[in-house]
Amino acid sequence: MRLSQLDQETIQATVAELFGADAAVRVFGSRVNDSARGGDIDLLVESPKPVPDRRRKALQLVARLQMRLGDQPIDVLVLDPETERAPIHEEALRSGVRL
């Protein structure tokens, strides 16, 4: 995975801060491929309970991570019991690496 241990810990802590300690996060996409270069950070946040205003929370996560990790492209998907699953969710669950 092309994220340092410190970056991974920062992502985990920031997700817990915004979504609660029971939320899990997976990195998927190009960042899990050690031979790839560049690319954004694709994250799937999984919550066992409904997340009110998922879009706003996802944007808050992006903003905080950009402040903490540096200004770089970050994409966030939120998956909770009320989310209608799309193919991108299935791909993130299949290929993502849980932090």
Side-chain angles (χ1 to χ4, degrees), residues 71-87:
D71 190 22
Q72 55 187 308
I74 301 170
D75 291 326
V76 174
L77 297 174
V78 178
L79 184 61
D80 71 3
E82 296 179 353
T83 303
E84 186 176 328
R85 286 195 181 196

Side-chain angles (χ1 to χ4, degrees), residues 30-81:
S30 62
R31 288 294 178 122
V32 297
N33 182 348
D34 290 334
S35 63
R37 296 182 59 98
D40 57 357
I41 300 173
D42 296 308
L43 302 174
L44 173 70
V45 176
E46 300 171 84
S47 176
K49 59 186 177 203
V51 176
D53 205 358
R54 286 187 299 271
R55 179 142 172 81
R56 181 181 58 81
K57 284 269 184 129
L59 292 173
Q60 284 180 321
L61 179 60
V62 169
R64 288 186 192 184
L65 288 175
Q66 285 179 333
M67 289 181 354
R68 295 171 183 176
L69 301 177
D71 190 22
Q72 55 187 308
I74 301 170
D75 291 326
V76 174
L77 297 174
V78 178
L79 184 61
D80 71 3

